[in-house]
Amino acid sequence: MVDPLTEVVTLLRPTAPFAKMATAAGTWIARRSETGRPFFCAIVAGTARLTVEGHDPVVLEQDDFVLVPAAFDFTMSSLDPPADGEETAYVFRPDGEIRHGDPTASPDVRMLIGYCVFASPDAGLLVSLLPQLVQVRGEPTLSTLVSLIYAEFRALRPGRDVVLARLLDVLLIEALRSAPRSAASPGLVRGLADDRLAAAMRRMHEQPGAPWTVAELAREAAMSRSAFFTRFSRLVGVTPMEYLLGWRMALAKCLLRDGVTVGDVAERVGYGSASAFSVAFTRNVGCPPAHFARRDQNPRRAKPGAGVADSEPAAAHLGRGPAARRGRAIPVA
C-alpha cells in the first residue's frame, strides 16, 4: 500500500540539522525572522511560549515537541514576556548553552532547538501539503529521536551525514503521524487522519496518472461528491484537484531531474499529450519542462540548501546578530 506521508517526506530529502541547547531564566523574549526553513523545538524542562505568525500563541511544557515545516516570523518567550515587547539579551555560557534572560539565575526552561534543511528543489511545493504547525505532547519517541540527533551532530563521527539523514526521516514522519488531529493545521496529516479521505488520497498517490475527477475520488471515499469536496477542502486546506495537481507537479519535477523524457513524464502524471503537460507545467512552475530539466541537471548549479546548516552556528540563538545581543528587537523582514 502506498503511504502518501512517507512519499512526501522522502521527496523532501531532509538533511543534517543544526541543533543547540538553549536555556532561559526570568522574563525574556527572543525573536526570529526566518526564510521558511523547518524549525523544531523540544522542551527538556520547564515551560515557554511560542508565537508563530498567523497562529495563536502555544504554551510548551516539558516533553512537548513542536515542528514548523516552514518557519518565518516567530518568537519564543517566558510565559509572561517583557511588557515592552523588546527582545532581551542573550549570552553564550562556558558549557556551550545559549542563555536568554538573567544570565546568573538557574534556568526556568531548557530547550533543544534546531533547523532542518529540505534539499529538494520542490520543498516549497511539498511543504505546502504539510500542516503549518505540529505540536506533539508527551511523546517519548520524539524526545529520544531529538536527543539522538543532537548527540550525533556533536559527535563528528564517520558516517554522520548518513545517520542524520535517516534520523531526520524518522523524526519528521514520527512528528507528523503523532500529531493529534485537533493539534495539526489543515494539510496532509489531517487528511490522512480521516479514514474516508485517506482512501482517496492513497488512490491519488498510487495512480497519479489516472484521469481522476472529484466524483471518482468521492466514490473511492464512499461519500457524496459535495460532502467529499467540502470535507477534503476543510481538512487538507486545498481542493482535491489542487492537491492532485500539486502532487503531479512534484512528481514531474522529480522525473525530469532523473532524465525521463517530457513525453514519458506527461503520460505518467496524467496528461494526454506532451504539449498539454508543458502548458500546465509552465503555468505552475514558471518555465517549460525541457528548460527545467536542462537547468536542474547543470552540474555547476548550486545544490539546494547547500551551506545553510554550515553557516548556522554563527547565529546559534533564538535571537540573531549583534542587535539581539544588545537586547534590541530584530526588525521583521
Side-chain angles (χ1 to χ4, degrees):
M1 180 185 297
V2 171
D3 181 359
L5 180 59
T6 299
E7 285 198 314
V8 170
V9 174
T10 299
L11 280 187
L12 279 170
R13 290 163 51 198
T15 58
F18 164 76
K20 191 74 174 180
M21 188 66 72
T23 60
T27 300
W28 61 280
I29 186 170
R31 300 182 184 277
R32 286 300 296 261
S33 292
E34 272 300 326
T35 57
R37 285 185 301 174
F39 167 78
F40 67 83
C41 174
I43 303 296
V44 178
T47 57
R49 183 186 302 273
L50 170 67
T51 303
V52 178
E53 186 178 33
H55 298 270
D56 294 333
V58 175
V59 174
L60 303 178
E61 302 174 352
Q62 183 173 337
D63 293 329
D64 279 6
F65 180 88
V66 170
L67 171 68
V68 185
F72 289 92
D73 298 316
F74 68 94
T75 65
M76 292 197 70
S77 70
S78 52
L79 297 186
D80 295 314
D84 59 9
E86 290 291 310
E87 186 170 22
T88 49
Y90 66 88
V91 297
F92 288 96
R93 295 172 59 86
D95 57 8
E97 292 183 353
I98 304 163
R99 168 60 61 85
H100 291 268
D102 188 342
T104 61
S106 297
D108 300 321
V109 60
R110 187 178 298 276
M111 306 168 284
L112 181 63
I113 59 174
Y115 292 90
C116 310
V117 177
F118 292 149
S120 170
D122 315 322
L125 175 62
L126 293 165
V127 166
S128 70
L129 304 178
L130 301 178
Q132 297 173 351
L133 185 148
V134 175
Q135 180 183 9
V136 181
R137 175 151 287 175
E139 177 53 57
T141 302
L142 285 174
S143 298
T144 300
L145 285 168
V146 170
S147 298
L148 288 172
I149 288 171
Y150 181 52
E152 190 65 32
F153 190 90
R154 297 187 64 189
L156 298 176
R157 295 188 297 173
R160 182 186 70 159
D161 288 346
V162 175
V163 173
L164 283 171
R166 300 299 183 271
L167 287 174
L168 272 171
D169 282 344
V170 178
L171 174 70
L172 291 172
I173 292 174
E174 187 64 31
L176 291 166
R177 73 180 183 180
S178 298
R181 187 182 308 184
S182 60
S185 54
L188 177 64
V189 174
R190 288 191 69 181
L192 292 176
D194 184 292
D195 290 340
R196 293 194 175 187
L197 295 187
M201 296 175 79
R202 282 195 295 268
R203 293 292 286 146
M204 282 189 271
H205 281 255
E206 287 171 356
Q207 297 184 23
W212 294 112
T213 64
V214 175
E216 289 167 341
L217 291 169
R219 281 195 291 272
E220 295 288 340
M223 300 174 66
S224 70
R225 183 186 183 282
S226 60
F228 171 75
F229 182 90
T230 300
R231 187 186 297 189
F232 194 103
S233 301
R234 176 170 56 86
L235 295 184
V236 183
V238 294
T239 68
M241 291 297 100
E242 287 172 334
Y243 180 89
L244 179 61
L245 175 62
W247 182 239
R248 283 173 168 173
M249 290 298 108
L251 287 178
K253 286 184 175 182
C254 184
L255 292 169
L256 289 168
R257 284 194 301 272
D258 289 342
V260 180
T261 66
V262 173
D264 286 343
V265 173
E267 181 179 355
R268 291 169 67 172
V269 298
Y271 289 86
S273 68
S275 60
F277 166 67
S278 294
V279 170
F281 188 92
T282 303
R283 182 171 59 246
N284 285 274
V285 178
C287 67
H291 175 70
F292 174 87
R294 288 194 300 270
R295 182 193 66 185
D296 204 72
Q297 291 168 7
N298 187 340
R300 293 172 296 180
R301 201 165 164 247
K303 292 182 180 180
V308 175
D310 294 338
S311 64
E312 184 59 28
H317 42 76
L318 290 176
R320 195 176 188 90
R325 289 191 287 272
R326 293 194 297 269
R328 182 165 60 84
I330 302 298
V332 176

